[in-house]
Amino acid sequence: MAWLSRLFGQTPSTAPASSTASEDVPLERQGLNGEYDQNGLAKRVAATFDLYTELQDIETVWVAQTGSTVVLKGKVTSPALQAKLIEVAGMVKGATAVSADDLIIEA
């Protein structure tokens, strides 16, 4: 199941139609199409995870945000997978940090 759909019940095709990012909306609050969204950064991280084949089938990790910090929680099967999630989340525009303190490696 896709990250965006699993976590937020949304797919890019059902996202709001606006495609212009507003300069008045902080990056961490910009949704998939630039609209204001309280969980905008977390949704954009989830949508980005959907682009990576090796991350697509993970159903034991959740994405949230605290301001501009991406918060990853749950379980992964390897340190390499944990590192990839952190790396990709940190690349999303507007993310200033990634907290993975609650992301447990469990074989």
Side-chain angles (χ1 to χ4, degrees):
M1 175 179 277
W3 285 86
L4 195 55
S5 176
R6 178 175 63 86
L7 297 176
F8 299 102
Q10 190 172 4
T11 62
S13 62
T14 62
S18 172
S19 62
T20 306
S22 170
E23 292 180 14
D24 297 334
V25 179
L27 280 175
E28 69 270 13
R29 299 295 180 216
Q30 286 184 11
L32 298 172
N33 296 300
E35 76 286 358
Y36 179 87
D37 188 324
Q38 185 70 22
N39 298 306
L41 176 59
K43 287 181 181 179
R44 288 185 287 114
V45 168
T48 302
F49 285 168
D50 283 332
L51 301 176
Y52 288 80
T53 305
E54 66 269 33
L55 303 180
Q56 288 178 350
D57 293 329
I58 299 172
E59 293 189 4
T60 56
V61 175
W62 291 264
V63 181
Q65 72 182 81
T66 302
S68 61
T69 298
V70 177
V71 180
L72 301 175
K73 296 180 180 185
K75 299 174 186 175
V76 293
T77 56
S78 72
L81 195 52
Q82 180 187 45
K84 186 67 174 182
L85 287 165
I86 293 167
E87 174 191 358
V88 172
M91 294 186 316
V92 175
K93 189 175 181 181
T96 58
V98 178
S99 172
D101 295 340
D102 294 321
L103 189 58
I104 300 164
I105 300 167
E106 200 173 81

